Amino acid sequence: MQFEFTQEQTMIREMVLDFSRDHASSQQIRQAMATEQGYDQKSWHAMSVDLGLAGLLVPVEFGGQGLELIDTVLVFEQLGGRLLPSPLLETAVMAVTLMTSLADEALQRKWLPRIAAGDCAVAFARLDNGVAEYVIGAQGADVLILCEDDNNHQLTILDGGPGHHHGAIKVSRLTMLDQTRSMSRVEMLPAQKLNGYQAGKGSLAAAAANRAHQFSHIALAAEAVGAAQSCLDMTVDYVKERHQFGRAIGSFQAVKHQLADMMVDIEAARSAVYFSACSVSENPAQLPEMASLARVQASEALTHCAAEMIQLHGGIGFTWEHDAHLYFKRARSTATLLQTNSELDEIIAEQLGLNSQVAS
Amino acid sequence: MKLSFTASQETFRTEISEWLETRLTGAFSDIRGVTSQTAAAQRRILWEQELGRARWSAIGWPEEYGGRAADLAEQVIFAEEYARARAPGRLGHMGVELAGPTILAFGSNDQKQRFLPSISAGQEMWCQGYSEPNAGSDLANVNTKARLQEGPSGKQWVIEGQKIWTSLAQFADWCFVICRTEPASQGRHGLSYLLVPMHQPGIDIRPIRQMTGESDFNEVFFDKAVTAEENIVGEPGKGWQVAMGTLSFERGVSTLAQQMHFRNELSEIIALANANGKSSEPLIRQRIAKAWRGLQSMRASALRMLSHTDAGTLTGPQFTYKIFWASWHQQLGELAMDVMGKDGEMTGSDYQLSDLTRLFLFSRADTIYAGTNQIQRNLIAERALGLPKEPRG
């Protein structure tokens, strides 16, 4: 048993921190939010090609870094500190996990090296009755993976992104509260045949799709921990500077105690995220509840911290100009992405063996 | 980062779990699962001695003092197996977890020879003389005094004053006491850390009846109580540093044992909810899931803390752990009551409490002792977040 980070992991963390300093200023984030594809091409290039972050989980034989989820989690935690929009989650975690979970070497040989090289952004849509609501990253994707859950979980990979499949699918970008995540509605047009790679179906496809979502929950959780930590750091800086009644407001216990409670939630969530990321490789059977643990714990911490950040900044925290609202909105979109927190808690309740039938 | 254990560690796990199972289905089956602090005390002191004979009492200590020089992973395994086996709460923990490590770290060679073997053997029980009526959160305001005087067999400390909230004082043979040895000194200065025998006429122990109806804590009055001159740990007047050392030992491996105990409580709540149908209520399901998340987070935090014990600086979870578990445990008590419904409010004819009802009441103390939630928040804000100190009078 060993629960501390290696030197290599510390280096990954610092590398990402440097990246954020160069690419994720408030201005750069706001510019990226306003792009049509939902992210800034240059920063995505730096992230995926220069740093190789898209290939974190891609096995070495396919040109990736062959790292574990725990390493990936460190990257997401650091990136989460700033809210730079990028297709990293859906590409490096969701799509890669899906592909590595399928026993299809041809598929892996075709796409994984491209992803690892930073050559494509990938999105993954799970459709019911031909429609997938709230698909992350579909608009700007170079490759789109569809899973028809109502059609025996048929998996199809569409190369070239939505633009190349006009006749068969329709992708509509949605305007959402959280502008740092690009969300779209994906629709299969009736009576049109999909011209893509058939990547399997049935229970294997469903298991791979679920696993892709569960890994994403953990990465998302790491991102939320990083974001919550930023809320705390920025607020601590502010209350040391801001003076009222002749003293820094951070010297008042009413303020201190709110900040202390933020740290309590953050540390618990961070522990939960590291723990669940480690357990994925050591106890794969526990993945469903571990994903729920990390996601809900971190999502609640971020929700709490972002709200307190606004409160403790006073009026300035309520403005469009200050970044506080970006964190507050990110908190909201985290609490509902892929599944809601209460749905995830229900997964835990089931795993704990709580009978849902009313006793007769 | 790795969560699993090596093969030899798993062998160690089997050894301890088999030993516990044999004893707890055999000679000590009557005290299996006893969690209240004071119940079946005489049997539990014998249990301490049983642990000591097999060198399971203080496994992290050096072998010469009755330990096994166990490393961190082994201590974790022991703590987990101990709680998993529902072995009784440790009556010797004040000695094993607090007095012993303090003597190991700050004591003289003679003190180590004199005290450590009897602690690890379960021969002598200890209690902690810190809090006073006017020194609770403001511990440095200690007012109990000791002065060095000529006694019948050489110089001795003569102690006057009162301690309060002293757990297990009624079973203790020794007490470690912080008291003022420099007249007119104030605050952290002029305090000393004395080891005082409990069985003497100058000591009067009065149990405090708590809101549970039970008495886990005591008042201890010192009226010309004495201890030999050499029974001081560290230098005279430098007791504060020694006392703070003891407090930091509280955040060790024992947290993992505590968590296993919490896990047993949560399991009991789950079983009860399934039995009485409350498990089908969405709100109850959600709260149980949340409790489980909190428990897992605590376990992960403990592992993070234990990985950093040698780093010298305190890490995030070390600051936040106390308030987190105390608040969590309090909520668990509330959840237990909601799962039990009206049945949970019924007591025995002599006001005896079920384990879960006691949890509900006793956990009100969790957020008070060992640093109240308010003090914890101050510590986090000032020491971890670097916020300006509260002006102090």
Side-chain angles (χ1 to χ4, degrees):
Chain A
M1 186 208 66
Q2 176 233 334
F3 207 60
E4 57 205 346
F5 291 115
T6 63
Q7 214 179 347
E8 196 190 359
Q9 287 169 329
T10 309
M11 277 168 58
I12 295 177
R13 247 210 282 228
E14 278 163 16
M15 180 181 83
V16 177
L17 212 60
D18 285 343
F19 167 85
S20 286
R21 252 193 297 276
D22 295 341
H23 292 273
S25 70
S26 178
Q27 198 190 358
Q28 286 165 319
I29 291 165
R30 285 160 193 256
Q31 278 168 359
M33 272 163 35
T35 57
E36 195 195 336
Q37 74 272 21
Y39 59 90
D40 173 62
Q41 290 287 4
K42 265 213 306 241
S43 64
W44 170 237
H45 188 270
M47 196 185 278
S48 60
V49 180
D50 301 347
L51 298 183
L53 296 186
L56 283 170
L57 290 173
V58 174
V60 176
E61 54 173 315
F62 298 117
Q65 306 203 26
L67 293 174
E68 305 271 354
L69 186 60
I70 181 67
D71 308 295
T72 308
V73 148
L74 297 180
V75 169
F76 275 85
E77 184 185 349
Q78 289 305 326
L79 286 175
R82 305 298 301 154
L83 305 178
L84 182 69
S86 87
L88 192 68
L89 177 71
E90 50 272 32
T91 304
V93 181
M94 215 183 295
V96 170
T97 304
L98 180 79
M99 289 177 177
T100 52
S101 303
L102 294 165
D104 182 344
E105 218 194 303
L107 173 153
Q108 292 170 351
R109 208 167 288 289
K110 187 167 158 67
W111 277 287
L112 288 178
R114 281 180 58 194
I115 293 176
D119 187 38
C120 56
V122 191
F124 176 45
R126 298 190 72 164
L127 299 101
D128 189 25
N129 223 356
V131 181
E133 304 282 1
Y134 309 116
V135 179
I136 183 166
Q139 177 79 15
D142 305 300
V143 174
L144 189 60
I145 308 173
L146 304 181
C147 178
E148 296 169 66
D149 280 325
D150 61 325
N151 180 22
N152 199 20
H153 311 288
Q154 174 64 53
L155 280 171
T156 310
I157 304 180
L158 301 177
D159 230 330
H164 288 72
H165 300 271
H166 272 316
I169 56 163
K170 185 177 164 199
V171 173
S172 331
R173 174 86 186 264
L174 304 167
T175 307
M176 304 292 290
L177 213 51
D178 176 10
Q179 296 171 290
T180 64
R181 288 195 210 282
S182 159
M183 301 292 254
S184 303
R185 182 172 199 268
V186 175
E187 218 176 326
M188 286 171 64
L189 298 178
Q192 298 296 320
K193 197 173 150 25
L194 284 177
N195 187 18
Y197 181 93
Q198 304 288 305
K201 59 186 169 189
S203 60
L204 283 178
N210 289 340
R211 195 172 145 85
H213 274 196
Q214 286 151 353
F215 270 54
S216 301
H217 282 310
I218 296 174
L220 197 56
E223 188 191 88
V225 167
Q229 184 68 53
S230 277
C231 292
L232 176 59
D233 293 345
M234 285 192 259
T235 310
V236 164
D237 286 347
Y238 179 75
V239 302
K240 284 179 183 169
E241 290 294 314
R242 171 77 176 166
H243 279 64
Q244 289 286 273
F245 307 102
R247 54 197 262 209
I249 60 171
S251 68
F252 292 105
Q253 282 196 341
V255 172
K256 279 181 185 171
H257 287 193
Q258 281 175 290
L259 288 160
D261 284 341
M262 289 163 74
M263 180 168 169
V264 172
D265 276 9
I266 291 169
E267 289 303 336
R270 180 174 284 129
S271 298
V273 170
Y274 292 169
F275 187 71
S276 64
C278 288
S279 72
V280 160
S281 48
E282 296 183 35
N283 300 303
Q286 294 177 355
L287 181 55
E289 64 264 35
M290 283 295 150
S292 297
L293 162 68
R295 215 312 280 282
V296 183
Q297 208 68 23
S299 166
E300 287 183 349
L302 177 55
T303 299
H304 172 208
C305 291
E308 293 291 52
M309 182 191 200
I310 294 175
Q311 177 67 28
L312 290 167
H313 276 77
I316 185 76
F318 185 68
T319 63
W320 188 268
E321 181 190 357
H322 198 279
D323 284 347
H325 72 103
L326 299 182
Y327 288 89
F328 187 74
K329 292 165 183 173
R330 174 62 78 91
R332 182 89 295 266
S333 79
T334 300
T336 50
L337 196 62
L338 306 177
Q339 276 160 301
T340 64
N341 286 352
S342 50
E343 287 165 347
L344 292 166
D345 265 343
E346 179 53 32
I347 290 173
I348 294 173
E350 275 168 31
Q351 295 291 331
L352 289 174
L354 284 172
N355 299 333
S356 50
Q357 302 303 314
V358 179
S360 52
Chain B
M1 226 183 232
K2 209 160 180 52
L3 300 175
S4 54
F5 293 93
T6 65
S8 72
Q9 286 165 345
E10 290 301 341
T11 309
F12 177 78
R13 185 188 293 281
T14 310
E15 188 191 342
I16 171 64
S17 71
E18 282 173 0
W19 187 89
L20 286 167
E21 193 56 35
T22 311
R23 297 308 184 283
L24 292 170
T25 47
F28 290 94
S29 56
D30 57 318
I31 52 168
R32 189 171 210 173
V34 172
T35 55
S36 106
Q37 279 210 47
T38 50
Q42 294 315 318
R43 291 285 296 144
R44 284 160 72 188
I45 289 174
L46 292 178
W47 169 249
E48 289 294 322
Q49 292 163 5
E50 182 81 2
L51 287 170
R53 267 191 295 279
R55 300 174 89 84
W56 287 123
S57 177
I59 62 167
W61 293 12
E63 291 181 19
E64 57 179 312
Y65 301 125
R68 291 177 176 238
D71 65 18
L72 208 54
E74 288 168 337
Q75 293 179 53
V76 167
I77 290 167
F78 177 81
E80 289 184 343
E81 290 310 312
Y82 191 86
R84 197 194 312 278
R86 294 175 51 251
R90 293 289 305 270
L91 222 59
H93 85 262
M94 290 284 174
V96 172
E97 305 277 350
L98 300 175
T102 303
I103 292 168
L104 261 176
F106 301 102
S108 67
N109 248 335
D110 285 350
Q111 286 168 342
K112 290 179 193 171
Q113 301 295 344
R114 162 64 187 84
F115 292 109
L116 296 180
S118 68
I119 293 176
S120 63
Q123 296 296 340
E124 287 180 328
M125 298 291 121
W126 285 73
C127 62
Q128 170 178 280
Y130 278 14
S131 298
E132 296 181 7
N134 284 315
S137 290
D138 186 7
L139 184 59
N141 199 35
V142 159
N143 200 30
T144 294
K145 295 182 175 62
R147 56 190 193 282
L148 210 47
Q149 286 188 337
E150 208 58 52
S153 46
K155 282 192 167 175
Q156 58 184 13
W157 296 100
V158 180
I159 305 148
E160 302 261 11
Q162 181 195 350
K163 295 289 174 182
I164 194 170
W165 305 119
T166 313
S167 321
L168 306 174
Q170 64 272 49
F171 312 112
D173 303 293
W174 287 84
C175 184
F176 48 99
V177 178
I178 324 181
C179 50
R180 210 160 277 292
T181 49
E182 293 175 10
S185 63
Q186 281 198 332
R188 301 164 180 206
H189 309 286
L191 299 171
S192 294
Y193 190 102
L194 301 184
L195 310 177
V196 182
M198 290 295 283
H199 307 295
Q200 57 169 308
I203 288 184
D204 183 22
I205 300 164
R206 299 180 202 164
I208 299 169
R209 192 169 189 215
Q210 302 144 196
M211 61 187 276
T212 56
E214 299 163 343
S215 297
D216 296 301
F217 303 101
N218 303 277
E219 293 178 288
V220 179
F221 294 87
F222 297 83
D223 180 14
K224 299 195 180 67
V226 294
T227 192
E229 181 185 15
E230 65 267 25
N231 287 337
I232 180 170
V233 181
E235 286 173 43
K238 298 272 164 64
W240 181 259
Q241 289 77 356
V242 179
M244 289 301 107
T246 300
L247 284 183
S248 72
F249 295 122
E250 276 193 284
R251 301 185 186 89
V253 178
S254 57
T255 54
L256 281 158
Q258 186 196 37
Q259 283 165 31
M260 294 299 278
H261 173 59
F262 291 167
R263 205 186 73 158
N264 291 341
E265 289 174 339
L266 179 59
S267 299
E268 195 181 338
I269 293 170
I270 290 171
L272 202 63
N274 277 335
N276 72 8
K278 283 281 196 298
S279 64
S280 65
E281 291 180 19
L283 200 53
I284 293 292
R285 296 172 73 78
Q286 204 272 339
R287 287 169 68 194
I288 288 175
K290 183 179 161 80
W292 180 85
R293 283 192 278 111
L295 186 60
Q296 297 300 316
S297 302
M298 272 189 262
R299 178 170 161 73
S301 288
L303 294 174
R304 277 176 73 201
M305 279 194 285
L306 290 167
S307 304
H308 282 93
T309 43
D310 299 327
T313 54
L314 289 175
T315 56
Q318 274 157 319
F319 284 108
T320 57
Y321 192 78
K322 164 70 196 350
I323 190 171
F324 188 87
W325 80 251
S327 308
W328 177 89
H329 201 220
Q330 215 162 65
Q331 285 174 17
L332 190 73
E334 291 157 9
L335 173 60
M337 292 306 282
D338 286 336
V339 167
M340 289 188 290
K342 212 68 190 160
D343 292 351
E345 295 165 31
M346 207 168 74
T347 73
S349 54
D350 287 330
Y351 209 75
Q352 303 102 317
L353 306 177
S354 72
D355 285 348
L356 289 180
T357 305
R358 182 185 300 108
L359 157 66
F360 171 63
L361 294 180
F362 196 90
S363 60
R364 303 323 297 185
D366 290 342
T367 52
I368 298 171
Y369 69 76
T372 64
N373 275 15
Q374 295 94 318
I375 289 288
Q376 297 298 331
R377 290 188 178 101
N378 283 350
L379 287 174
I380 294 167
E382 293 177 9
R383 294 224 239 140
L385 300 176
L387 292 166
K389 280 206 183 313
E390 186 74 9
R392 284 188 184 148

